[in-house]
Amino acid sequence: MRVEDAICSFCGCLCDDINVEVEENKVKRVRHACRLGSSKIMGHERIRSPMVRKDGELKEVSYQEAYERAAEILLAASKPLLYGWASTVCEAQKKGILLAEEVGGVLDSTATVCHGPSVIGIEEKGLPGATLGQVKNRADTIVFWGCNPAEAHPRHSLRYSSNACGRFTSEGRSAKKIIVVDVRETRTSKNADMQVIIQPGTDYEVISALRMLVAGKGDVVPEEVGGVAKKELASLAEMLLAAKFGAVFFGLGITHSRGRYKNIDNALSLVADLNSHTKFVIMPMRGHYNVGGIGQVLAWSSGYPMSVDFTRQAPYFNPGETAACDLLAKADTDAALIIAADPASNFPRKIVEELAKMPIIQIDPYENPTTLLADVVIPSAIAGVEAEGTAYRMDGLALRMRKLVNSSYPSDEQILDGILESVRSLRSSMSLRGGLKDDN
Amino acid sequence: MIIRGGIVYDPANGIFGEEMDLCIDGGRIVEDAKGEVIDARGLLVMPGGVDAHSHIAGKKMNTGRIMRPDDSRLGTEPRSGVCRPSTGYTVPNCYAMGYRYARMGYTTAFEAATPIIEARHTHEELEEIPILDKGALTLFGNNWEVMECVHDKDIAKLAAYVAWGLRAARGYGIKIVNPGGGEAWGFGSNVKGLYDPVPNFDVTPAEIIHALAEANEMLRLPHSIHLHFNNLGKPGNYTTALETLEALKDIKPSRMRQAVHVTHMQFSAYGGTSWRDFESKAPVIADYINRHNHATMDMGQLLFGAATTMTADAPLEYGNARLTHNKWSNHDIELEESSGVVPMVYSRKMLVNAVQWAIGLELALLTEDPWKVLMTTDSPNGSPFVNYPEVIALLMSKPKRDSEMATLHAELSKRTSLGGIERELDWSEIAIMTRAAPARILGLEDKGHLGFGADGDVSIYNLLPEEVDASKEHATVKKALATAKYTIKSGIVVCKDGKIIATPRGKTYWVDAAAAQADMDRLMVDLQEKFERYYSVQMSNYAVQDVYVTNPKVIKAGIGAEPLKEVA
Amino acid sequence: MRNIVITPLAPIRISVEAEILSPDIFAPLSMEQICGLDVWQGNRKKKISDLFRVVGDEGPAKPEETALRLEGDFSRVKRIAEGMTAGTVDVTGSVGMHAGNNMLGGKLSILGNADDWLGREMRGGSIIVEGNAGNYAGAGYRGERCGMRGGEIEIRGNAGAYLGEHLCGGNIRVAGDAGDFPGAANQGGTIFIGGSCHLPGAEMTKGTIIVNGKAKVLPGYQKLEIVTIGGEKYQKYAGDLVENGKGELFIQAGSS
Ligand code: SF4
Ligand SMILES: [Zn+2]
């Protein structure tokens, strides 16, 4: 069997032109996807069965038993953290939000360790963006700032940006100016017309200097900013101003260097300023395929796109206080449900140590270092391969992920439903026994 | 269910404040029913409110939420009873959207603008809005395929595209926003007027609007074209408004309704040459609407306080952001549209805002026939919908308007005729502007009235219409309208004394229009090329799948379709 | 004066939200009523007396005649003195996030350190911290255009990053260093920093920032003359010109 126009569930490009050959319910061949996408779709060794830690060891149990143990953990906690969500579909995210409301927890996504600062920047300035097709059809000038799509989003350039051809860009790469700003040379910068190497942690200053130059106030700008000569910055500003349609793509290089969300805040202003002269848009390079989705679903459900604290029954949002890292850094959470994420490998060591101290429920198709810390492990179907659902591309476009093969694993949504049911029945039996026991 | 003894306003059926009983069974108004009895003796009873133009779902709304945690923290209500938590004031979350409309006695609301390619997102949010019946208008005014058909004067192919687009978007009707301007914005410019050609497409806004109106009638769509004028929000734009209306005079409606619905007319009734000599041209517009029968409009009333502007008119939003030095979100949508979102505060101290406030009211009060003008705030552009009771109180009370005006800029009376308008609307007129007319204008046969067979949507207010003098007791009116005593949706009491007690899932209207197969075939050739060369998604992943509309109400239209039942 | 002393019964792990710890709330209530007030610890609603020992003079009193004394470690107690309009709150130890949130009047004194968002959106009154303050002292809420609008914050130790972000009025004085971006988007407040800081006054449109130590200055600042303030020489700058700002930035001459 062949599945045409399947959607790749690896990165935020959400390529939707993947052809997959399936034989005997196994993916045999993946076409059009990049290396990263293929290996995701092909899959690898799975967690076999639900497991619950007993006497220090993970023991195989039934799904029902795992759900019940998960419910016990969640209900015993004063401030459970429900974390992950970027590599699953919106249908599961919706269930997760309901679960967070019902158990009075804090729900946060992996955005907190990638584009969280971008979201805060957007809260300061708004986001002048576009769909990727708009960039493909119109952009003659493209800036990659602190991102390296050649490695992290391999098909971005051909499908949407530097090498894409569209209505007003029929000559493709040859008629475009590509600019890379980074702290070092990257594979992306090899394809660039201009490469600007800045000193680490100086993004904010460099952007301010560009804003001054764009506004014609270059005389105030010092001779060197962020290790870059004013002359070089001036020619960069000229290139930006000469664009008919410019697009800025930015990544973790700018969101996670000194200045954090202020860097994005300033970049958004640069783009707004540029629109007084020409047309410019800007967009974060989202990593996990549906990290955009959790932001959207959370926003329409709670009003906020990440780090939402439901402990007092009403959504409260304050990254710096309510993000997963903040809670763990302050030891201000007492249980965690981790879905489709691997904080044990992605968080700073001190935070992982904190995580290790509390009961953890893990929902994931694959074993990863977080599994070693988990008390309940619930294997799931791979969303976008074994389960259908909605995902939001890095530009906010919603697409429906196809199911490519059947699976005996329940979907993330079904698992969360199972836990939710267990939470409800446990809670009602507890209230029959005279209220929640406070064990804090 | 029997609703006993209410003073019923059902203008569509010629009932203007009569004491009568209403029966609901199987979710519909019927002649006779058993069961729960609701005591409405002496109380104001109307059909459930219908909002024909409101921004309630989709990318723009969510962009507003994401960029405005400052707004989301307002209006926070914890989860309780049957309710999920509420947040936001101008950009409420989906749950608040449903609860707050229901609390005011509204049971239906239509999302005003969705690009086809982003309709999946809109439906995801519509599905999450509790209680309300809803639908979404689909944007066509800056679409490449549309402009190419217009250029080729191929109305049949255009109609096929509209039919295909509505189906792909699960959309309800044709929305046109600043036609041509959204495309021009793709390279940072705009169109200046009705006859200013769209760059790269060699068509004018006038041609786009006219052709879409023709296609609309060719397809016999339940609603007319729904139009946001060019030059919206600019001083002196009333001439564009009049010019556009004139250009549509020859459109023959295929149904008993208007040929064009003009949305948020307040933003298009501006005189003056700049913000300095800015003044109201509402009397001229109202006069035109009074003398012609092809157009209806909604107010787009502006109220003082916080708003979030959101529109497919992206260049307008860039202007707003620069003018007010506020946050700016923009979103260009490949081959189809552009859009923007900017927070706003309308201030009593600003003469411009005061004039805008007056214009909306003038439009409603100077238009003789209430069937031609709907009460809206273009929520949340002029003000969030929760402030409808304030607008209604203003329309019903000259003393309220006077006392408001007394607090505003002294210059105001020279810029608007509002102070001289004596008219005070009565409950029949309010029932028309908030129920009967929006339903008729949208072509919703079962909404906005209480005749047998109509949807069992009823609002009952804690107000005795025969005793309360709305002119003097405007505070009572406002309070009563803000929290319905009962809101009944499809025969279920969803709200009692302002408290939400049930949250049934509403339905989503969309229009399935048939086009001639030969035109559809020709269209497919175009579309295949568009998807191969220009779109960033595959055609097979483009259309909204059925799973996204779980409770659809499909209205058939189009060539060869059964003739539609005419609305009363 | 009505004196009330509050002491944690045991060390607190999951942080407590206690916006009721304010003279305005306590003043009109009897001691019994006070002990029955609610606080939140995570998703558990508790009585104040479940977590704290509360002793003091019997009420009622006016807020301005009410003095709260918080003895012990309150570093995991949030929102102390939120919205207070009068009276005093004295803390012998450290406080958690959002102390003096939205404060309108009265006096909050903290002997230890203050966590992030001290005096967020404050409009009046005064706050003194003997130790250090975290990030966002005197700042606003996410996405809001105004932070602190009035009143005084004095930090005798160091301040964290984003000090006085979106400041719209009032005075902030830091004896030690401030972190990155003090006075970002300042629209009319005054900040004095005794030590050093990084990139002060980003997008400042109005107001004043004085830095006694070193600071890296943004490229949107125009260097003006050397001026003397209180006997010290400062390099004066105007900016931030990326926003056509008219703010004034003074850096100790010879230090930047
Ligand atoms: S670029 Fe990203 S979405 Fe596309 S195939 Fe590669 S991993 Fe998948
Ligand atoms: Zn609108």
Side-chain angles (χ1 to χ4, degrees):
Chain A
M1 190 189 68
R2 253 170 83 115
V3 184
E4 309 243 345
D5 299 341
I7 297 172
C8 172
S9 56
F10 187 77
C11 87
C13 283
L14 228 56
C15 297
D16 75 331
D17 61 342
I18 313 298
N19 287 353
V20 179
E21 276 173 37
V22 177
E23 276 171 33
E24 288 166 1
N25 201 37
K26 286 218 163 58
V27 175
K28 280 285 165 232
R29 220 156 119 208
V30 179
R31 294 228 298 249
H32 297 166
C34 72
R35 178 177 46 77
L36 301 171
S38 299
S39 82
K40 162 99 197 232
I41 298 167
M42 298 293 290
H44 56 274
E45 185 78 30
R46 303 283 288 274
I47 300 172
R48 289 213 327 263
S49 148
M51 295 180 283
V52 166
R53 198 171 291 277
K54 291 175 186 167
D55 308 321
E57 254 179 81
L58 285 171
K59 299 265 163 62
E60 296 197 354
V61 296
S62 69
Y63 273 94
Q64 189 54 37
E65 192 178 338
Y67 296 159
E68 282 164 15
R69 181 69 196 115
E72 280 167 24
I73 290 172
L74 291 170
L75 282 180
S78 294
K79 204 168 189 178
L81 169 67
L82 294 84
Y83 176 80
W85 309 106
S87 289
T88 187
V89 288
C90 298
E91 289 71 9
Q93 296 164 351
K94 287 175 205 170
K95 273 280 150 29
I97 294 166
L98 185 58
L99 181 62
E101 282 178 23
E102 295 211 6
V103 301
V106 180
L107 191 142
D108 199 12
S109 77
T110 54
T112 192
V113 290
C114 57
H115 276 286
S118 313
V119 172
I120 303 174
I122 290 164
E123 289 164 0
E124 296 279 326
K125 295 289 169 60
L127 179 69
T131 67
L132 287 163
Q134 182 82 337
V135 175
K136 155 179 156 159
N137 282 302
R138 295 183 202 258
D140 59 353
T141 303
I142 295 172
V143 183
F144 294 106
W145 196 304
C147 60
N148 186 6
E151 311 262 8
H153 300 86
R155 298 184 72 216
H156 189 276
S157 124
L158 191 62
R159 275 174 64 80
Y160 312 123
S161 58
S162 358
N163 294 49
C165 299
R167 183 161 191 145
F168 305 107
T169 52
S170 53
E171 289 162 59
R173 174 68 186 89
S174 61
K176 295 183 196 190
K177 291 269 182 284
I178 309 301
I179 300 151
V180 174
V181 185
D182 216 318
V183 294
R184 67 179 81 83
E185 214 172 284
T186 63
R187 257 183 70 195
T188 303
S189 61
K190 294 208 175 77
N191 181 31
D193 296 283
M194 183 182 193
Q195 185 190 175
V196 182
I197 306 270
I198 63 170
Q199 281 166 1
T202 61
D203 302 76
Y204 193 94
E205 297 148 66
V206 172
I207 296 166
S208 284
L210 286 172
R211 289 181 68 189
M212 293 291 285
L213 289 159
V214 163
K217 299 176 201 161
D219 48 333
V220 179
V221 174
E223 282 312 310
E224 194 195 286
V225 180
V228 188
K230 180 168 162 182
K231 239 179 67 197
E232 198 182 344
L233 290 173
S235 67
L236 171 54
E238 258 166 55
M239 273 170 95
L240 301 181
L241 286 168
K244 274 213 192 98
F245 183 115
V248 180
F249 293 96
F250 63 94
L252 303 196
I254 175 169
T255 59
H256 280 258
S257 64
R258 188 173 189 180
R260 314 253 316 179
Y261 74 89
K262 283 285 169 200
N263 297 339
I264 305 309
D265 169 322
N266 212 12
L268 294 168
S269 287
L270 169 63
V271 167
D273 292 351
L274 280 165
N275 275 281
S276 296
H277 305 274
T278 177
K279 171 82 185 189
F280 248 91
V281 298
I282 180 165
M283 193 184 309
M285 290 289 242
R286 305 308 297 265
H288 297 299
Y289 78 92
N290 199 24
V291 68
I294 183 62
Q296 298 291 337
V297 179
L298 253 183
W300 76 57
S301 314
S302 75
Y304 309 104
M306 59 181 190
S307 312
V308 183
D309 179 345
F310 291 100
T311 52
R312 291 177 67 166
Q313 298 294 298
Y316 171 70
F317 163 82
N318 193 31
E321 178 182 7
T322 57
C325 285
D326 307 326
L327 294 178
L328 289 165
K330 286 204 183 289
D332 198 12
T333 162
D334 51 1
L337 181 151
I338 312 286
I339 178 165
D342 184 13
S345 343
N346 299 328
F347 279 8
R349 222 193 63 219
K350 278 208 97 101
I351 286 182
V352 176
E353 282 167 12
E354 200 46 57
L355 195 60
K357 289 184 201 154
M358 63 179 83
I360 294 175
I361 304 151
Q362 184 190 33
I363 305 172
D364 210 292
Y366 301 114
E367 192 173 316
N368 61 32
T370 302
T371 315
L372 300 174
L373 310 179
D375 298 284
V376 181
V377 177
I378 311 178
S380 62
I382 305 166
V385 177
E386 298 167 343
E388 283 188 72
T390 315
Y392 284 73
R393 207 165 69 177
M394 63 167 71
D395 56 352
L397 188 76
L399 288 166
R400 181 142 193 98
M401 313 291 295
R402 288 165 201 269
K403 180 173 167 176
L404 309 174
V405 293
N406 292 318
S407 157
S408 55
Y409 292 101
S411 68
D412 291 328
E413 188 190 0
Q414 287 165 332
I415 291 169
L416 289 160
D417 238 341
I419 297 175
L420 193 58
E421 283 312 314
S422 297
V423 161
R424 286 171 182 170
S425 64
L426 183 58
R427 169 167 283 150
S428 63
S429 71
M430 277 179 3
S431 67
L432 282 179
R433 290 203 311 264
L436 286 171
K437 203 78 198 105
D438 186 4
D439 44 13
N440 191 57
Chain B
M1 172 187 292
I2 307 159
I3 301 164
R4 275 240 200 280
I7 308 300
V8 176
Y9 287 84
D10 179 14
N13 293 306
I15 295 164
F16 304 104
E18 283 172 37
E19 185 187 323
M20 58 190 281
D21 296 346
L22 292 170
C23 296
I24 307 177
D25 192 30
R28 297 189 171 268
I29 306 284
V30 292
E31 235 179 308
D32 207 1
K34 289 196 180 57
E36 188 181 356
V37 177
I38 288 177
D39 180 7
R41 272 172 300 171
L43 300 181
L44 174 66
V45 175
M46 297 195 277
V50 178
D51 197 341
H53 186 109
S54 182
H55 299 266
I56 57 172
K59 175 88 182 159
K60 286 199 301 291
M61 190 34 88
N62 233 18
T63 298
R65 294 180 188 116
I66 292 170
M67 73 194 276
R68 297 209 65 183
D70 50 314
D71 187 89
S72 287
R73 71 170 168 161
L74 307 172
T76 300
E77 294 170 61
R79 194 187 146 75
S80 78
V82 296
C83 293
R84 309 250 332 235
S86 289
T87 54
Y89 173 58
T90 66
V91 285
N93 64 342
C94 290
Y95 311 122
M97 205 76 82
Y99 306 150
R100 290 179 193 168
Y101 263 115
R103 233 171 249 158
M104 295 193 306
Y106 273 69
T107 51
T108 306
F110 270 54
E111 157 57 35
T114 293
I116 308 171
I117 193 172
E118 290 186 339
R120 193 173 286 103
H121 179 166
T122 302
H123 285 291
E124 283 225 274
E125 290 196 28
L126 289 178
E127 288 286 303
E128 211 67 17
I129 296 176
I131 304 170
L132 301 181
D133 287 340
K134 57 252 157 178
L137 301 175
T138 308
L139 289 157
F140 284 99
N142 289 288
N143 184 301
W144 289 2
E145 182 62 31
V146 169
M147 289 189 289
E148 285 163 13
C149 290
V150 172
H151 179 263
D152 299 343
K153 304 200 166 27
D154 194 342
I155 303 298
K157 191 161 82 181
L158 178 60
Y161 181 65
V162 168
W164 183 86
L166 289 178
R167 176 173 256 281
R170 298 292 190 265
Y172 187 78
I174 299 177
K175 176 75 183 295
I176 307 169
V177 175
N178 184 23
E183 165 53 32
W185 182 247
F187 284 116
S189 68
N190 196 356
V191 291
K192 285 175 208 69
L194 205 49
Y195 300 101
D196 186 15
V198 184
N200 301 310
F201 284 87
D202 194 23
V203 292
T204 64
E207 289 166 338
I208 297 171
I209 298 167
H210 200 274
L212 281 168
E214 288 176 64
N216 195 92
E217 302 316 324
M218 186 180 266
L219 291 170
R220 296 178 48 83
L221 298 184
H223 187 35
S224 65
I225 58 166
H226 192 112
L227 181 57
H228 161 134
F229 286 139
N230 297 103
N231 284 330
L232 186 126
K234 297 200 183 96
N237 64 10
Y238 80 105
T239 54
T240 308
L242 295 175
E243 250 177 357
T244 311
L245 288 169
E246 272 299 286
L248 290 165
K249 254 173 32 186
D250 63 323
I251 298 293
K252 224 183 105 34
S254 57
R255 310 187 62 208
M256 247 182 56
R257 54 147 168 75
Q258 72 288 354
V260 54
H261 178 76
V262 180
T263 189
H264 38 70
M265 186 67 102
Q266 179 272 126
F267 291 108
S268 287
Y270 296 169
T273 57
S274 74
W275 293 116
R276 228 161 282 142
D277 62 356
F278 178 67
E279 60 174 355
S280 165
K281 285 290 178 187
V284 186
I285 299 283
D287 180 56
Y288 185 95
I289 298 288
N290 286 337
R291 284 186 293 108
H292 297 83
N293 285 324
H294 66 295
T296 55
M297 62 183 173
D298 60 81
M299 294 165 68
Q301 177 65 27
L302 177 150
L303 293 173
F304 304 111
T308 298
T309 61
M310 51 179 67
T311 167
D313 195 337
L316 171 77
E317 289 292 26
Y318 184 65
N320 280 346
R322 290 274 121 174
L323 197 70
T324 61
H325 205 82
N326 216 324
K327 311 181 204 186
W328 172 53
S329 283
N330 174 83
H331 188 58
D332 288 6
I333 299 132
E334 58 200 73
L335 289 83
E336 297 184 10
E337 260 306 335
S338 61
S339 65
V341 184
V342 175
M344 196 70 81
V345 176
Y346 300 115
S347 161
R348 287 170 183 277
K349 290 187 200 123
M350 293 267 295
L351 178 59
V352 167
N353 293 160
V355 175
Q356 291 176 306
W357 170 84
I359 291 173
L361 297 171
E362 283 179 278
L363 286 169
L365 294 165
L366 295 173
T367 300
E368 286 152 15
D369 181 358
W371 288 93
K372 288 180 174 174
V373 53
L374 310 181
M375 193 284 301
T376 67
T377 59
D378 189 17
S379 176
N381 283 280
S383 186
F385 65 83
V386 287
N387 294 321
Y388 285 173
E390 165 75 7
V391 181
I392 295 172
L394 285 164
L395 293 173
M396 297 186 83
S397 170
K398 162 91 170 143
K400 180 171 169 71
R401 297 196 294 268
D402 287 345
S403 66
E404 274 290 305
M405 278 185 84
T407 69
L408 301 172
H409 204 288
E411 185 73 4
L412 177 61
S413 56
K414 293 191 202 126
R415 309 285 184 97
T416 154
S417 72
L418 184 66
I421 301 175
E422 297 296 326
R423 185 173 174 199
E424 293 177 328
L425 301 187
D426 61 24
W427 286 115
S428 297
E429 288 165 318
I430 295 300
I432 292 168
M433 291 173 68
T434 58
R435 271 87 178 160
R440 181 188 284 184
I441 285 168
L442 284 172
L444 297 174
E445 298 167 348
D446 303 333
K447 294 286 178 195
H449 72 105
L450 298 170
F452 300 143
D455 284 354
D457 298 356
V458 184
S459 33
I460 305 171
Y461 296 97
N462 213 342
L463 183 134
L464 306 169
E466 290 173 336
E467 285 170 29
V468 171
D469 177 350
S471 172
K472 293 203 191 78
E473 297 166 69
H474 49 79
T476 309
V477 167
K478 186 175 162 184
K479 187 162 168 255
L481 293 177
T483 43
K485 184 157 179 60
Y486 292 95
T487 304
I488 297 159
K489 169 69 182 35
S490 304
I492 298 169
V493 178
V494 292
C495 174
K496 189 170 178 218
D497 294 319
K499 190 170 177 313
I500 301 296
I501 58 170
T503 59
R505 180 182 290 267
K507 43 186 187 277
T508 301
Y509 287 88
W510 69 275
V511 171
D512 188 6
Q517 193 55 49
D519 299 326
M520 211 38 114
D521 293 343
R522 291 190 300 129
L523 173 70
M524 281 308 126
V525 177
D526 287 14
L527 290 184
Q528 247 135 31
E529 193 206 339
K530 291 230 155 47
F531 279 95
E532 261 157 40
R533 298 179 57 187
Y534 305 141
Y535 271 112
S536 67
V537 292
Q538 303 294 108
M539 196 163 168
S540 66
N541 289 321
Y542 181 81
V544 174
Q545 293 84 352
D546 285 332
V547 287
Y548 292 98
V549 187
T550 56
N551 192 10
K553 167 96 179 166
V554 186
I555 306 222
K556 295 272 182 198
I559 293 153
E562 286 284 299
L564 290 148
K565 197 167 83 194
E566 299 301 345
V567 176
Chain C
M1 260 314 184
R2 180 183 183 197
N3 289 296
I4 300 169
V5 181
I6 301 128
T7 322
L9 291 172
I12 292 166
R13 186 163 112 65
I14 296 295
S15 61
V16 172
E17 293 195 16
E19 62 272 27
I20 44 92
L21 288 179
S22 143
D24 293 82
I25 307 279
F26 278 28
L29 304 179
S30 68
M31 288 308 293
E32 198 189 329
Q33 287 169 319
I34 290 172
C35 289
L37 288 170
D38 290 331
V39 295
W40 285 81
Q41 185 168 33
N43 52 28
R44 309 292 154 94
K45 200 201 268 186
K46 297 185 174 173
K47 296 275 169 266
I48 190 170
S49 52
D50 294 343
L51 295 167
F52 302 95
R53 197 164 63 99
V54 187
V55 289
D57 304 335
E58 197 44 78
K62 290 188 176 139
E64 58 268 32
E65 293 162 348
T66 303
L68 267 56
R69 194 174 159 79
L70 275 53
E71 286 188 348
D73 182 14
F74 283 77
S75 61
R76 298 179 82 88
V77 181
K78 295 179 185 174
R79 298 169 66 177
I80 290 167
E82 176 168 296
M84 78 183 266
T85 64
T88 60
V89 176
D90 286 289
V91 192
T92 62
S94 295
V95 294
M97 289 181 183
H98 305 294
N101 195 11
N102 224 332
M103 194 166 150
L104 298 160
K107 191 170 169 193
L108 167 63
S109 314
I110 298 152
L111 275 181
N113 301 321
D115 207 334
D116 301 346
W117 286 286
L118 173 74
R120 183 175 86 178
E121 297 182 306
M122 174 175 180
R123 285 151 195 259
S126 69
I127 300 178
I128 298 180
V129 186
E130 294 296 337
N132 301 323
N135 299 327
Y136 295 103
Y141 180 63
R142 299 281 179 206
E144 201 71 68
R145 294 184 75 181
C146 251
M148 177 177 177
R149 291 167 198 255
E152 316 267 340
I153 297 180
E154 185 173 344
I155 298 159
R156 302 239 161 102
N158 301 322
Y162 315 112
L163 174 74
E165 191 185 37
H166 292 287
L167 199 62
C168 282
N171 287 301
I172 300 179
R173 213 182 156 79
V174 181
D177 296 334
D180 292 3
F181 295 105
N186 184 4
Q187 296 154 76
T190 304
I191 298 179
F192 173 87
I193 296 163
S196 299
C197 65
H198 187 63
L199 305 181
E203 297 196 330
M204 167 157 72
T205 53
K206 241 173 89 182
T208 307
I209 302 174
I210 303 170
V211 184
N212 254 11
K214 289 191 199 326
K216 191 163 190 193
V217 176
L218 282 160
Y221 274 87
Q222 182 148 35
K223 202 168 183 169
L224 303 172
E225 68 281 6
I226 303 274
V227 296
T228 308
I229 307 171
E232 301 275 350
K233 284 201 178 341
Y234 291 89
Q235 172 66 54
K236 183 178 179 183
Y237 296 87
D240 186 344
L241 298 180
V242 295
E243 292 289 332
N244 296 318
K246 295 183 176 58
E248 294 183 328
L249 173 64
F250 302 91
I251 314 263
Q252 175 88 251
S255 73
S256 67

